[in-house]
Amino acid sequence: PDGVRPRHFALLSDQGLVILGHLPWIINALGNFPRAQQSLTISLYSKPNTAGVRPIGFFRALFRLWGKLKKGGVRNWEKLYGQSKNFSMSPGVSVVDPVWRQGVRSEFSAAECRSFLMLLWDISKCYEHVRHLVLLREARFCGYPLLLLRVAIAAYQWPRFITLDGLVANALFP
Protein backbone atom coordinates (compact mmCIF):
# COMPACT_ATOMS: atom_id res chain seq x y z
CA PRO A 1 0.00 0.00 0.00
CA ASP A 2 2.56 2.62 1.01
CA GLY A 3 5.75 0.55 0.66
CA VAL A 4 6.51 0.92 4.37
CA ARG A 5 6.45 -1.83 6.95
CA PRO A 6 5.98 -1.14 10.66
CA ARG A 7 9.54 -2.28 11.35
CA HIS A 8 10.81 0.55 9.12
CA PHE A 9 9.77 3.05 11.79
CA ALA A 10 12.83 1.87 13.76
CA LEU A 11 14.96 3.61 11.12
CA LEU A 12 13.67 7.03 12.19
CA SER A 13 15.92 9.40 14.10
CA ASP A 14 15.38 9.81 17.84
CA GLN A 15 13.47 13.02 17.18
CA GLY A 16 11.35 11.27 14.56
CA LEU A 17 10.54 8.48 17.02
CA VAL A 18 9.47 11.03 19.64
CA ILE A 19 7.11 12.62 17.10
CA LEU A 20 5.87 9.18 16.03
CA GLY A 21 5.18 8.40 19.68
CA HIS A 22 2.70 11.29 19.82
CA LEU A 23 0.74 10.18 16.74
CA PRO A 24 -1.31 7.42 18.44
CA TRP A 25 -2.51 9.94 21.05
CA ILE A 26 -3.45 12.40 18.31
CA ILE A 27 -5.22 9.68 16.33
CA ASN A 28 -7.20 8.65 19.41
CA ALA A 29 -8.10 12.26 20.21
CA LEU A 30 -9.27 12.98 16.65
CA GLY A 31 -10.85 9.57 16.13
CA ASN A 32 -9.19 9.29 12.75
CA PHE A 33 -5.84 9.25 10.98
CA PRO A 34 -4.25 12.15 9.12
CA ARG A 35 -5.93 12.57 5.72
CA ALA A 36 -2.76 11.51 3.88
CA GLN A 37 -2.97 8.14 5.67
CA GLN A 38 -6.67 7.55 5.01
CA SER A 39 -6.77 4.90 2.31
CA LEU A 40 -6.84 1.17 1.93
CA THR A 41 -5.61 -1.01 -0.91
CA ILE A 42 -7.71 -4.06 -1.78
CA SER A 43 -5.81 -6.55 -3.91
CA LEU A 44 -7.80 -9.16 -5.78
CA TYR A 45 -5.99 -12.50 -5.87
CA SER A 46 -7.10 -15.44 -8.00
CA LYS A 47 -8.54 -18.36 -6.07
CA PRO A 48 -6.87 -21.64 -6.95
CA ASN A 49 -8.90 -23.95 -9.20
CA THR A 50 -11.73 -21.43 -9.63
CA ALA A 51 -12.55 -18.40 -11.74
CA GLY A 52 -13.15 -16.31 -8.60
CA VAL A 53 -10.96 -13.81 -6.79
CA ARG A 54 -10.25 -13.24 -3.12
CA PRO A 55 -10.07 -9.65 -1.84
CA ILE A 56 -7.24 -8.96 0.62
CA GLY A 57 -7.12 -5.55 2.30
CA PHE A 58 -3.84 -3.79 3.02
CA PHE A 59 -3.70 -0.87 5.41
CA ARG A 60 -0.86 1.62 5.50
CA ALA A 61 2.04 1.04 7.90
CA LEU A 62 0.95 3.72 10.37
CA PHE A 63 -2.47 2.07 10.76
CA ARG A 64 -0.83 -1.31 11.27
CA LEU A 65 1.54 0.15 13.87
CA TRP A 66 -1.39 1.83 15.66
CA GLY A 67 -3.25 -1.50 15.61
CA LYS A 68 -0.30 -3.26 17.22
CA LEU A 69 -0.18 -0.62 19.92
CA LYS A 70 -3.92 -1.02 20.60
CA LYS A 71 -3.95 -4.81 20.49
CA GLY A 72 -3.60 -5.06 24.28
CA GLY A 73 -6.89 -3.22 24.85
CA VAL A 74 -8.70 -5.59 22.54
CA ARG A 75 -7.07 -8.64 24.16
CA ASN A 76 -8.15 -7.42 27.62
CA TRP A 77 -11.72 -7.01 26.38
CA GLU A 78 -11.57 -10.41 24.71
CA LYS A 79 -10.54 -12.08 27.97
CA LEU A 80 -13.69 -10.71 29.60
CA TYR A 81 -16.24 -11.07 26.80
CA GLY A 82 -14.80 -13.09 23.94
CA GLN A 83 -14.40 -16.48 25.60
CA SER A 84 -17.79 -17.78 24.55
CA LYS A 85 -17.59 -21.11 22.78
CA ASN A 86 -19.93 -19.63 20.16
CA PHE A 87 -17.19 -17.39 18.80
CA SER A 88 -14.14 -18.37 16.80
CA MET A 89 -12.14 -15.22 17.41
CA SER A 90 -10.10 -16.26 20.45
CA PRO A 91 -6.45 -17.29 20.23
CA GLY A 92 -6.11 -21.03 19.80
CA VAL A 93 -9.70 -21.42 18.57
CA SER A 94 -10.30 -22.58 15.02
CA VAL A 95 -13.03 -21.11 12.86
CA VAL A 96 -14.41 -24.63 12.46
CA ASP A 97 -14.74 -25.26 16.22
CA PRO A 98 -18.26 -23.79 16.49
CA VAL A 99 -19.32 -25.77 13.39
CA TRP A 100 -18.17 -29.05 14.94
CA ARG A 101 -19.75 -28.16 18.29
CA GLN A 102 -23.07 -27.41 16.63
CA GLY A 103 -22.84 -30.63 14.62
CA VAL A 104 -22.33 -32.74 17.77
CA ARG A 105 -25.26 -30.99 19.48
CA SER A 106 -27.43 -31.63 16.42
CA GLU A 107 -26.56 -35.34 16.33
CA PHE A 108 -27.14 -35.70 20.07
CA SER A 109 -30.57 -34.05 19.74
CA ALA A 110 -31.50 -36.33 16.83
CA ALA A 111 -30.47 -39.41 18.86
CA GLU A 112 -32.78 -38.20 21.66
CA CYS A 113 -35.61 -37.55 19.16
CA ARG A 114 -35.50 -33.85 19.95
CA SER A 115 -35.49 -30.89 17.63
CA PHE A 116 -32.40 -28.79 17.19
CA LEU A 117 -31.86 -25.56 15.33
CA MET A 118 -28.39 -24.87 14.04
CA LEU A 119 -27.75 -21.31 12.94
CA LEU A 120 -24.30 -20.30 11.72
CA TRP A 121 -23.49 -16.79 10.57
CA ASP A 122 -20.53 -16.21 8.31
CA ILE A 123 -19.71 -12.58 8.95
CA SER A 124 -16.73 -12.48 6.62
CA LYS A 125 -18.78 -10.78 3.91
CA CYS A 126 -21.22 -8.73 5.99
CA TYR A 127 -19.13 -5.65 6.73
CA GLU A 128 -20.87 -3.66 4.01
CA HIS A 129 -24.15 -4.06 5.90
CA VAL A 130 -23.08 -3.28 9.49
CA ARG A 131 -25.10 -0.41 10.95
CA HIS A 132 -22.52 1.64 12.79
CA LEU A 133 -24.94 3.08 15.36
CA VAL A 134 -26.05 -0.43 16.32
CA LEU A 135 -22.42 -1.54 16.47
CA LEU A 136 -21.59 1.41 18.73
CA ARG A 137 -24.53 0.66 21.04
CA GLU A 138 -23.60 -3.02 21.34
CA ALA A 139 -19.92 -2.20 21.84
CA ARG A 140 -20.81 0.19 24.65
CA PHE A 141 -23.05 -2.47 26.22
CA CYS A 142 -20.24 -5.07 26.05
CA GLY A 143 -17.58 -2.71 27.32
CA TYR A 144 -15.58 -2.71 24.09
CA PRO A 145 -12.92 0.06 23.92
CA LEU A 146 -14.85 2.88 22.24
CA LEU A 147 -11.78 4.84 21.12
CA LEU A 148 -10.68 1.83 19.10
CA LEU A 149 -14.12 1.39 17.62
CA ARG A 150 -14.35 5.07 16.69
CA VAL A 151 -11.11 4.86 14.71
CA ALA A 152 -12.14 1.54 13.14
CA ILE A 153 -15.45 3.00 11.96
CA ALA A 154 -13.62 6.01 10.54
CA ALA A 155 -11.18 3.68 8.74
CA TYR A 156 -14.12 1.77 7.30
CA GLN A 157 -15.17 4.96 5.53
CA TRP A 158 -11.78 5.61 3.92
CA PRO A 159 -11.37 5.36 0.15
CA ARG A 160 -10.37 1.99 -1.19
CA PHE A 161 -8.17 1.35 -4.17
CA ILE A 162 -8.83 -1.98 -5.89
CA THR A 163 -5.87 -3.64 -7.62
CA LEU A 164 -5.89 -6.59 -10.00
CA ASP A 165 -2.95 -7.81 -12.06
CA GLY A 166 -0.99 -4.59 -11.48
CA LEU A 167 -3.86 -2.28 -12.41
CA VAL A 168 -5.30 0.17 -9.88
CA ALA A 169 -8.89 1.44 -10.04
CA ASN A 170 -9.98 4.92 -9.05
CA ALA A 171 -10.86 5.34 -5.39
CA LEU A 172 -14.08 3.71 -4.24
CA PHE A 173 -15.96 4.79 -1.14
CA PRO A 174 -18.05 2.40 0.95
Side-chain angles (χ1 to χ4, degrees), residues 12-170:
L12 291 172
S13 67
D14 289 346
Q15 187 178 18
L17 289 172
V18 168
I19 293 169
L20 178 66
H22 293 292
L23 282 176
W25 295 101
I26 295 169
I27 290 164
N28 289 343
L30 296 175
N32 208 341
F33 277 68
R35 189 165 306 281
Q37 292 290 309
Q38 294 179 11
S39 68
L40 172 65
T41 300
I42 308 290
S43 295
L44 302 177
Y45 293 100
S46 299
K47 288 183 178 181
N49 304 322
T50 69
V53 293
R54 176 187 326 212
I56 306 291
F58 295 97
F59 284 98
R60 293 175 173 270
L62 182 59
F63 184 88
R64 292 169 36 217
L65 178 66
W66 176 85
K68 287 181 182 198
L69 292 171
K70 299 301 175 183
K71 183 170 67 171
V74 174
R75 290 285 184 230
N76 290 338
W77 174 84
E78 187 178 37
K79 287 176 186 173
L80 295 173
Y81 296 97
Q83 297 300 317
S84 169
K85 296 292 185 193
N86 295 319
F87 296 106
S88 59
M89 64 183 192
S90 300
V93 178
S94 168
V95 295
V96 297
D97 287 352
V99 175
W100 283 100
R101 231 180 333 277
Q102 296 290 348
V104 168
R105 290 177 181 152
S106 174
E107 290 178 19
F108 181 76
S109 295
E112 301 240 322
C113 297
R114 294 186 350 214
S115 298
F116 181 82
L117 173 66
M118 182 167 53
L119 180 63
L120 301 172
W121 285 311
D122 179 4
I123 62 168
S124 66
K125 295 177 181 69
C126 79
Y127 297 113
E128 303 297 326
H129 307 288
V130 171
R131 293 179 292 178
H132 294 155
L133 291 177
V134 173
L135 179 62
L136 179 60
R137 183 185 70 221
E138 295 299 319
R140 185 175 289 131
F141 178 76
C142 290
Y144 190 83
L146 296 181
L147 286 176
L148 300 179
L149 181 62
R150 185 170 82 161
V151 174
I153 289 173
Y156 175 82
Q157 298 168 7
W158 294 349
R160 300 169 187 178
F161 294 91
I162 310 295
T163 68
L164 176 64
D165 296 331
L167 301 174
V168 181
N170 291 331

